[in-house]
Amino acid sequence: MLIVFGRPTSAGHKPGILIYNMPPLEIIYQDKHMVAINKPHGLLVHRSQIASDASEFALQLLRDQLNRRVFPAHRLDRKTGGVLLFALSKDVEKLMQQQFADNRVDKKYLAIVRGYTEDTGEIDYPLRKENGRSQEALTRYKTVARAELNVPLGAHPTSRYSLVEANPATGRMHQLRKHFSHIFHPIIGDRTHGCNKQNKLFTERWELDTMLLHASQLSFQHPVTKAQIDIEAPLQAEYLRMIGVLGWGDEEMPSHRTTVVES
């Protein structure tokens, strides 16, 4: 995909701004009302004043790729990859945003965290908004795989990690990042809420440049057709590389599919 900004030159290009050649976004679901992509790690959903360094955004890229307006139904952090849903009209956008607000969308994430997590767990820990107001927040998780590497760190002769599937029952800002930090199992690559020593280890030893949090699945009732929709996003290259570093194989990885069940 060729993306240019500015005033056209006689050659048809535009001066003063870099020309980016970004591959098309991976579309994992599409119908007349909605489209979902497998958002790359590091890509912002839309323009933001707090990320002035960014020049590419999922909303604009998808709009240009489809040659039509799109409307984000929800948000993902910049460093989080995976299922990102867009509406193709304002009416559907409002309907889907209401479903998210009412916690009627089932969301699953895959996260690689420090240490060995319990087989299953529930994190019921209120989180504060920017205005200081406390909000209830609930996350359920199960451990998919564990790994122990012969890599000393600090006082520990080895390094332990877990792959967890997390299901946030509420949708608070940075909920999973804050919740796993709260139980002392921070997500690898999370600079704000994570472990600096672990992040430095992964950066220096394995050149990790993202956060190991992936939005793996969305399940909801279609706002127009009322069909049951289950959308899954495959893991991306950098995440799969870390899966290999930690010694996990295909048998540990959940399947990836998109299903539509007519009601």
Side-chain angles (χ1 to χ4, degrees):
M1 177 183 296
L2 183 66
I3 304 170
V4 291
F5 300 93
R7 179 175 298 173
T9 64
S10 57
H13 289 169
K14 303 178 181 182
I17 301 294
L18 292 175
I19 297 175
Y20 299 93
N21 288 285
M22 183 168 179
L25 295 169
E26 180 187 2
I27 294 175
I28 54 178
Y29 175 82
Q30 186 172 7
D31 63 24
K32 294 188 297 183
H33 308 284
M34 297 182 297
V35 58
I37 66 168
N38 188 1
K39 185 184 86 68
H41 296 269
L43 182 66
L44 281 167
V45 175
H46 52 68
R47 298 183 189 276
S48 171
Q49 294 181 347
I50 62 175
S52 58
D53 62 310
S55 57
E56 298 160 342
F57 311 90
L59 189 152
Q60 284 82 8
L61 290 173
L62 185 60
R63 175 199 63 196
D64 294 345
Q65 185 171 325
L66 299 178
N67 195 29
R68 63 177 299 171
R69 293 188 68 187
V70 295
F71 308 87
H74 66 126
R75 305 289 189 272
L76 290 178
D77 290 345
R78 182 177 187 174
K79 284 197 169 184
T80 303
V83 184
L84 180 62
L85 184 67
F86 291 85
L88 297 178
S89 70
K90 289 294 293 183
D91 288 342
V92 173
E93 176 194 28
K94 291 177 182 178
L95 291 171
M96 277 310 308
Q97 286 184 348
Q98 191 61 53
Q99 284 201 46
F100 278 99
D102 294 341
N103 297 319
R104 290 186 285 124
V105 179
D106 186 63
K107 298 164 286 186
K108 289 186 173 64
Y109 291 75
L110 287 173
I112 296 176
V113 303
R114 180 187 70 186
Y116 282 180
T117 49
E118 299 290 337
D119 289 346
T120 61
E122 188 172 282
I123 309 169
D124 187 355
Y125 178 67
L127 300 175
R128 292 192 179 277
K129 299 177 65 175
E130 292 182 355
N131 62 10
R133 180 185 174 188
S134 180
Q135 294 180 305
E136 293 183 359
L138 175 63
T139 298
R140 299 181 179 92
Y141 72 88
K142 66 179 180 180
T143 300
V144 178
R146 298 183 179 93
E148 184 171 20
L149 301 184
N150 189 25
V151 178
L153 186 64
H156 303 284
T158 61
S159 298
R160 292 180 171 183
Y161 304 97
S162 298
L163 175 66
V164 297
E165 183 179 79
N167 179 208
T170 51
R172 310 309 183 196
M173 184 175 181
H174 295 175
Q175 177 172 319
L176 295 182
R177 298 165 62 181
K178 292 177 179 178
H179 269 181
F180 281 105
S181 178
H182 175 69
I183 63 170
F184 305 106
H185 294 292
I187 298 171
I188 301 301
D190 183 352
R191 294 181 180 177
T192 305
H193 308 286
C195 172
N196 291 334
K197 290 181 180 179
Q198 289 288 347
N199 292 344
K200 182 178 180 181
L201 171 67
F202 272 76
T203 298
E204 294 182 350
R205 191 179 184 96
W206 296 296
E207 298 182 341
L208 177 70
D209 62 356
T210 191
M211 180 171 62
L212 296 178
L213 180 62
H214 174 78
S216 58
Q217 182 176 335
L218 286 182
S219 298
F220 55 93
Q221 185 183 63
H222 196 291
V224 179
T225 69
K226 307 307 179 184
Q228 175 63 31
I229 306 294
D230 301 295
I231 305 172
E232 295 192 23
L235 293 170
Q236 297 167 23
E238 186 72 345
Y239 206 118
L240 288 171
R241 185 171 70 87
M242 291 299 103
I243 292 289
V245 165
L246 293 165
W248 295 320
D250 292 341
E251 62 274 12
E252 285 91 4
M253 299 301 104
S255 62
H256 305 296
R257 65 190 183 279
T258 300
T259 61
V260 180
V261 179
E262 296 294 344
S263 57

